[in-house]
Amino acid sequence: MRWYYESVLGWPTAPGTPVRLRTGVRFDVLDVPVQAGHAALRRLGPPGATPRRPGFPVALRGGRMLLLVAAGGAEELPGLLEWLEWGSLPLDLTAVGAGGLMEAPLLPATGATGAAGSAGATGSADVAGSAGAAGSADVGRAGRGSALPPPRPRDHDGRARRGAAVWLRPPEQQGGAETSLPALSAVGGTAAAPDLARLVHTLATECHRFRLSSRCASPRLARATR
């Protein structure tokens, strides 16, 4: 897995296990509750789109969604929130930039993104399944330097079920993964990624809605359990 991230995508990693990606070099990360993240992706996509459609890379880890943005985006977040008039509100929206680390998501199954996508659609990190059944020929090709990620192994140790990071939208290999990352310079955004300001505004809106709905649900739950 480390070989794929370093040699195929060109993303630097940190020593140790599990494999961790260095942020602030090729990308930064916006970190939000998974419920707010899914709602934001639905709003940002065209009508009828799903969060799994091709676009900028998005990962899941436990109950969090990690959205990759252009390097430098983490430094822009506080100013953007102030400019968008979200700065005074407590939002569960954070960023990881220069000097930070992100756990490397488990690699998607060879030739498909369904396993990671299925996990994201349910908000669960349980992605164990048929990915490990890929043939030995695929494993051999990956080991000989194929640009395709090797098949994901079966979840024998339960790491995926314990909240390991998985890809909801894996990074694109052709043309460089960074070309699809949201950035302030992409005025209005592209077909693959929105402008960073639009992304932050949408995430902030959905984080605020999720926080309010959670607060409203707590008293009802307390009364129901009395």
Side-chain angles (χ1 to χ4, degrees):
M1 185 164 75
R2 187 183 302 275
W3 171 87
Y4 173 72
Y5 283 111
E6 291 185 344
S7 300
V8 177
L9 296 181
W11 292 356
T13 64
T17 302
V19 177
R20 294 170 298 170
L21 307 174
R22 297 187 184 276
T23 58
V25 181
R26 304 296 293 270
F27 62 86
D28 286 352
V29 176
L30 300 182
D31 183 333
V32 299
V34 68
Q35 296 89 340
H38 278 295
L41 291 182
R42 286 193 295 269
R43 286 185 58 192
L44 291 167
T50 69
R52 284 175 282 169
R53 72 183 182 88
F56 63 99
V58 178
L60 302 171
R61 188 177 188 277
R64 308 294 297 182
M65 180 176 287
L66 310 174
L67 302 98
L68 274 60
V69 300
E75 296 179 3
E76 301 287 352
L77 181 62
L80 280 174
L81 290 174
E82 289 291 340
W83 180 60
L84 296 166
E85 300 183 351
W86 287 108
S88 61
L89 296 175
L91 300 172
D92 192 4
L93 166 57
T94 59
V96 184
L101 296 171
M102 168 188 169
E103 181 181 333
L106 300 175
L107 296 176
T110 302
T113 60
S118 297
T122 60
S124 166
D126 186 359
V127 295
S130 61
S136 59
D138 288 335
V139 177
R141 285 195 296 271
R144 290 194 296 270
S146 168
L148 293 175
R152 186 187 306 138
R154 292 187 182 277
D155 190 31
H156 294 301
D157 60 0
R159 180 169 169 248
R161 291 190 296 274
R162 292 197 299 269
V166 295
W167 285 115
L168 176 62
R169 290 179 179 171
E172 296 290 333
Q173 297 176 22
Q174 296 180 350
E178 290 81 11
T179 60
S180 67
L181 299 180
L184 283 179
S185 59
V187 179
T190 66
D195 172 69
L196 181 61
R198 182 186 174 209
L199 174 61
V200 168
H201 177 63
T202 305
L203 289 173
T205 300
E206 296 303 334
C207 285
H208 183 57
R209 288 176 175 171
F210 175 66
R211 179 173 176 272
L212 292 179
S213 64
S214 299
R215 291 179 62 183
C216 292
S218 296
R220 291 198 298 269
L221 181 61
R223 289 194 296 269
T225 56
R226 287 176 184 171

